[in-house]
Structures are given as C-alpha cells and as structure tokens.
Amino acid sequence: MITEDLVRRRAEHNNCEIFSLEEISLHQQEIEKLEHLDKWCRDLKILYLQNNLIPKIENVSKLKKLEYLNVALNNIERIENLEGCEELKKLDLTANFIGELSSIESLKCNIHLKELFLMGNPCTEFEGYRQFVVATLQQLKYLDSKEIERSERIKALQDYPEVQWKIREQEEAYLLKRAREKEEAQRRMQEKKDEKQKQMDSKLGCDSPDSPQEKPNQAEADGEQERCRTVENYDDDEDRKFWEEPTPYTPESRLETHRYIEEKTETYIRVLVKGKPFQLVLPEEVKPDSSSAKRSQTTGHLVVTMPKVCKIGDITQRSLNVVSTLGIDCNSEQENSCSFEKLEVDPSKYSFPDVAKIVQEKERTGQGPIKFQPQKVTEAKKSSDDFENNEDVPPLI
C-alpha cells in the first residue's frame, strides 16, 4: 500500500513535506494499488512507480501538473484514467501486460504527450502495431525511443483503416486467450491451496480424529511437554518444484511468485498441544534456538518465550524511544539513523538546580581582571560623635 509514512520517507529531499512535492520515487515497493497521491501530492511533476504490482492506472487524474509517469514492470493491462493529466509529456509502460491496444485512444486528450514506451507488452507483437499508434496519437514525437518521421506518419494515416481492422481482430483473439489464462490461474491456485492444506494436516497428524499422533502418551501428558517450532517455512523439494514448473508469463503468475517469496520469508510459530496445532505468524524475526514453549506451574497457561533478533534498526528505534522519554525532539533525516536538529527539554516535567548559586558569592579583592572584581562598598564614616543625619537635608553634590 501507498502510506503517508512511505511518501514522507521518500520525500526527504523536500524536508519530508508532501503537499509541495514535485518528484517522488516509489519503485520496488511491492505496491498493489495506485492511490492517495492525487490527494496528498497535487503538485507532482515526476512520478516513478516502476517494478511494483500495480494492476490498473487510477487515482492520478487530479495530478494536473504531472509531466512524467513511469509505471514500467507492473501488471497493467490497459491504458486508462490519464485524461486529467493535462501536462503529461512522457509515459513509460514498458514490460506490462497491455494487450488491449485500442485503449491508447484515451491518450488523445493528452495533447502535450511526446514520448510513449510500450516495449515488452503483448500488443507490440500485433501486426501493424507501430502504424496504429503513430496514426492514432498524432501528437507523439517518439515511440519506444524511436523518433517518428513525418513520412512515417503520412503513410500510417493512409493505411489506418486497414491497420485498424487488423488490430481489432488480433485484440479480440488476445482477450479470449487472457480469459482462458485467468480461469486456468484460478484453478491452479485452488489446487495448490488444497494440496498445501493436505500437506500441513499430514505433517501435524491431523488427517483423522483417530490418528495416533493426536493421542500423546501418558509421559508426555504428565510432563506437559509441548513442541515449539519457529521456522522460515522453507522446503527444498517444494521450492524446487515451484521454480521448475513451467507457467505462462501473466499478471497472475507474477503475483503468485511474489506471494510465494513473501510466504517463504515469513516467520511463524507452530505449537502442538495434545495433538492440536496452534500457529501464529510473527511480525518480526526471532531466535529459534532460544525459543521455548512450556506450561506455567502456577497458572497452567501455555508460556511461549521467543527472543527477538536485535537489528540495527531496533537499536536505533530504542534510542529514539529513550530520547523521546527525556522530552528531546529528534528529527530523523534517514532511515535507521538519528540526526539531532534541535534539543528541547520540557521544563514542566523536569526541574534543574541553578548551579550559579550553589556556592555563596564572596567579596573578591584579590588579583585578577579588573572587570571581574566586585565594587568595594564602604560605609560613610561619621565626622564626629554628635553627628546627626537629617533626611530632609539634600546630599552634597
């Protein structure tokens, strides 16, 4: 997901301010939906979203100042929802799954569009692909990094009716093929899900209620000895089978590969208590060798102990937490690092002694700089014993 925290971290060059952001790079973030940017970053001119899992162009119509959009290496199947990007000059759709070539007609409204990249899409295999695009988008100057000559455009416009008919015919055949691929992908996904569930049940001894694995012997029951396993869910045979199995290159297979890798790197705990499995996915990496599961002798509750793997980021975060408890304002410029821009302590929470008054000040008449010597105060001496001080009489000047 595109979160505000992610956008702010990627806006470090703009002091983490997003309302005035003009350029942002969100590539390789495993983003599966394009959202929020049209509300948070209205002044965007350059937007990098390559190498994600975005299936559809959406929520960018309010980016009136957008000049360059890069959504290469995603799962996009048609061109749409870009009419509102009035200043769009460059659009990169390299290595997506665009087979509905007629969808480029929606770009006619983008009169400033000069460069378009469609390399690596199924539509580029259509006969007459380049002629169709050149004739349809007459504002283009470059297509797939190749300049469009004036003579090429004239020829494309002359052959447009025939080329358009060929493109429509190939497009229909491709859409029928895609419908079959989607059905096949859904069937394969369901089969793998069922097979995985069977394997899990078999490993845990849950194939049937009368399975002997579910009935622990009396020694195990008396000792309340549960088994705790924290693994990275990585099986060599299963992994080899997944990567060697031939699959078509489709948005579904690309998403499936991402899910598989994500699952393999996932850490979880599985506890078998009296033949009943209990499993929890852990948000952080832990130390399996130091983990344990046992019954509390006082309460009878199951106590699972799993020390976390301390990473550099964790140490930094702990330091930040300590700093925050002291009332210190710390602005972080980079991930896993803390640079103090200002230090402020809340005086209402903490009181500090005045060190200047710890030692009582004494009269200094010794050596030293004149400016540090205190002025010597002397009392007025009485001229005689019968002297009388009358306050009504003004002093002598």
Side-chain angles (χ1 to χ4, degrees):
M1 295 177 60
I2 298 179
T3 62
E4 183 178 348
D5 178 65
L6 172 62
V7 176
R8 288 194 184 277
R9 283 191 284 109
R10 291 290 182 168
E12 68 276 1
H13 59 282
N14 199 45
N15 296 323
C16 297
E17 295 179 356
I18 61 177
F19 69 93
S20 60
L21 198 61
E22 294 186 354
E23 178 179 347
I24 189 170
S25 179
L26 297 173
H27 64 285
Q28 295 181 330
Q29 294 297 313
E30 301 177 357
I31 298 171
E32 297 187 27
K33 186 173 183 179
L34 182 52
E35 56 186 349
H36 301 313
L37 294 177
D38 58 336
K39 299 177 182 177
W40 297 341
C41 314
R42 291 288 185 91
D43 292 338
L44 274 181
K45 292 183 178 180
I46 301 176
L47 177 56
Y48 296 99
L49 287 164
Q50 65 269 31
N51 202 359
N52 282 292
L53 299 165
I54 300 172
K56 182 179 181 180
I57 302 176
E58 57 185 341
N59 299 318
V60 293
S61 59
K62 294 181 181 179
L63 300 177
K64 304 295 182 182
K65 301 179 182 180
L66 189 64
E67 298 179 3
Y68 176 32
L69 175 61
N70 190 332
V71 284
L73 287 166
N74 277 278
N75 292 347
I76 298 170
E77 298 194 59
R78 71 188 313 269
I79 303 172
E80 57 188 339
N81 301 322
L82 290 171
E83 295 84 355
C85 303
E86 299 172 355
E87 298 296 324
L88 189 63
K89 298 177 181 178
K90 186 176 179 180
L91 177 60
D92 194 341
L93 289 159
T94 303
N96 275 275
F97 297 90
I98 299 174
E100 194 174 342
L101 186 57
S102 59
S103 62
I104 66 166
E105 294 177 354
S106 64
L107 296 175
K108 288 181 178 180
C109 299
N110 305 98
I111 59 176
H112 299 291
L113 185 63
K114 303 302 178 185
E115 296 182 69
L116 177 63
F117 297 86
L118 289 171
M119 298 175 293
N121 284 273
C123 63
T124 59
E125 303 296 327
F126 293 174
E127 182 183 355
Y129 148 74
R130 185 174 176 87
Q131 295 93 318
F132 179 79
V133 177
V134 170
T136 303
L137 303 177
Q138 300 185 32
Q139 73 272 33
L140 279 184
K141 298 296 183 182
Y142 295 88
L143 175 60
D144 298 333
S145 300
K146 183 179 179 181
E147 185 178 2
I148 301 174
E149 302 289 345
R150 183 171 179 270
S151 57
E152 182 184 6
R153 175 162 283 117
I154 293 174
K155 184 70 167 58
L157 289 171
Q158 291 175 346
D159 299 338
Y160 184 71
E162 182 181 353
V163 172
Q164 185 182 29
W165 179 81
K166 289 182 179 180
I167 292 296
R168 301 286 185 187
E169 192 176 48
Q170 296 173 85
E171 188 177 273
E172 290 178 3
Y174 174 80
L175 293 177
L176 290 174
K177 175 186 174 184
R178 277 294 297 133
R180 292 193 297 268
E181 287 177 348
K182 290 179 180 179
E183 292 179 359
E184 179 65 19
Q186 188 174 4
R187 184 188 62 80
R188 288 178 63 253
M189 189 177 300
Q190 186 61 41
E191 287 180 354
K192 288 186 176 182
K193 185 177 179 180
D194 296 341
E195 182 180 356
K196 184 178 178 180
Q197 185 63 40
K198 289 181 180 179
Q199 291 177 354
M200 184 177 296
D201 292 343
S202 177
K203 288 180 181 179
L204 293 174
C206 300
D207 293 334
S208 65
D210 298 327
S211 177
Q213 288 88 344
E214 283 194 9
K215 298 179 180 180
N217 56 44
Q218 189 62 33
E220 291 179 343
D222 294 339
E224 289 290 347
Q225 198 69 30
E226 289 82 14
R227 288 182 291 160
C228 173
R229 292 184 295 170
T230 308
V231 298
E232 278 203 7
N233 196 17
Y234 208 92
D235 184 86
D236 293 339
D237 294 337
E238 181 185 357
D239 190 61
R240 189 181 301 106
K241 180 181 178 182
F242 178 84
W243 293 112
E244 291 180 355
E245 182 182 4
T247 55
Y249 183 64
T250 63
E252 292 78 23
S253 64
R254 189 165 182 262
L255 189 61
E256 181 184 1
T257 302
H258 167 71
R259 294 278 188 267
Y260 183 81
I261 296 174
E262 188 179 53
E263 181 181 354
K264 289 303 177 182
T265 56
E266 189 177 72
T267 304
Y268 69 89
I269 175 176
R270 181 183 298 158
V271 184
L272 192 63
V273 184
K274 295 183 179 180
K276 301 295 183 180
F278 178 74
Q279 179 172 315
L280 285 176
V281 176
L282 304 177
E284 298 184 38
E285 187 178 356
V286 298
K287 299 178 180 179
D289 297 337
S290 304
S291 301
S292 63
K294 58 183 179 180
R295 290 282 181 184
S296 172
Q297 296 181 357
T298 55
T299 63
H301 296 162
L302 175 64
V303 179
V304 180
T305 305
M306 296 174 292
K308 291 198 303 182
V309 175
C310 186
K311 299 179 181 179
I312 297 178
D314 297 333
I315 299 174
T316 304
Q317 186 61 40
R318 292 174 186 174
S319 303
L320 290 174
N321 293 336
V322 172
V323 169
S324 63
T325 58
L326 295 176
I328 299 175
D329 185 5
C330 172
N331 293 328
S332 176
E333 293 182 354
Q334 298 179 354
E335 294 183 30
N336 299 334
S337 65
C338 177
S339 61
F340 297 94
E341 293 186 359
K342 58 180 180 179
L343 297 175
E344 297 178 357
V345 179
D346 188 354
S348 64
K349 297 181 179 179
Y350 303 93
S351 60
F352 299 92
D354 187 357
V355 296
K357 297 182 179 180
I358 292 179
V359 181
Q360 186 176 1
E361 185 176 357
K362 296 182 179 180
E363 180 178 329
R364 291 185 57 187
T365 57
Q367 297 180 354
I370 297 176
K371 62 180 179 179
F372 290 140
Q373 292 186 4
Q375 295 182 356
K376 190 174 182 179
V377 180
T378 58
E379 297 180 357
K381 295 183 179 180
K382 297 181 180 181
S383 58
S384 61
D385 296 335
D386 58 350
F387 175 82
E388 183 178 355
N389 184 19
N390 190 348
E391 296 179 357
D392 296 332
V393 178
L396 294 177
I397 299 176

